[in-house]
Amino acid sequence: MNFDLSWILLGLPFAFVLGWIASRMDIRQLRFENQQAPKAYFKGLNFLLNEQQDEAIDAFIEAVQNDPDTSELHFALGNLFRRRGEYERAVRVHEHLLSRGDLSLADRQRAQHALALDYLKAGLLDRAEAALLKLEGTPFEAQARLSLLASYERSRDWPQAALVAQKLDASKKGNFQGRLAHYLCEKAATSITQQRPEDAVAALNEAIATAPEAARPRLDLARLLSNQGNAQAAYATLAMAIDASPSAIPLIASPLAEYAFSAGQTTDALQLLRTNYEAAPSLDVLDAIVLLQASSDAASPTPRDWYVRHLEREPSLVAAAKWIAGEKLEHEQFHPQVQRALDHAVKPLTRYRCAACGFEAKQHFWQCPGCQTWDSYPARRVEEL
């Protein structure tokens, strides 16, 4: 059979034209789809910058529908849901990401971390723990361990918290010796509640060895020894605490004076506190000195003279109120009203304030009740900060 080459020559340009038209149509469709997703994405970003989270979520959902394979949009949407407290929707987004077979290893690890944060925020601690443990050996390992640590602290699982803190300390992600000492103190408190004082003493001694500069283990140990009737050992423990933790002397002063009375060490305690007060004046140390001075044979300075001396060094409304309490005024009949007003005015000044979140409390906390930060309360009261 003979082929007419002229038909082939005529057909080649036609085929070329058809191919060109088809390619142009594909390019236009691709451009249209690519324009739709970025447009919705940038719209959502604009809403987010203007703190319009509802509109931002709607825009990101539209972007995800236009381009369901874009993992970044899913991450943005999941994070928005978590920030708004819609944890169930955030979990669904991140679980959808993890179910995709084409997800890269880096994005899979990132999605696993995001899912763990969703569970933590939702208070599902068991699921959060399981999700965080899967991040061992990944770039999110350190973050996962810190989250696990917070979770164990929240559930008061001190043995598990100690294990995680030891791993973090060994990996040089910070100094966790102080936290480990706190965990041992919490363990000791549990042992005391369960009538196991020997275990409590062992835990507190281990805490002192773990963090020699920490004040809490020695304070707790001294209290335990005092309750057992060993005032001499309790006093000696706090005397060593002053050398080990000079910044915590305001917390140590009052119980030191108390144990000094029981142990017959008032003279030594008075000398110790006076030496430290001269180096760093403090209201709590001053109160302990006044208490000890009142029971000593020393005639000068009198207890009230100490408050005048303090006012010469530090402008303190608290010290002034305590000095006036024992002073005879010209119009003594109005003294109770004046004293009551002064006592009311100084109350906020005698509180402790968290350095991390500003939460104020009448008593000193080792872990802030507001932000859960350890050792964020200075030993000094608000007036002295």
Side-chain angles (χ1 to χ4, degrees), residues 122-140:
L124 303 173
L125 300 184
D126 291 341
R127 293 187 181 183
E129 180 182 358
L132 289 167
L133 289 174
K134 292 179 181 178
L135 293 167
E136 287 288 326
T138 72
F140 295 95

Side-chain angles (χ1 to χ4, degrees), residues 363-374:
Q363 70 180 81
H364 182 275
F365 287 101
W366 299 109
Q367 185 182 27
C368 176
C371 64
Q372 306 302 310
T373 304
W374 289 100

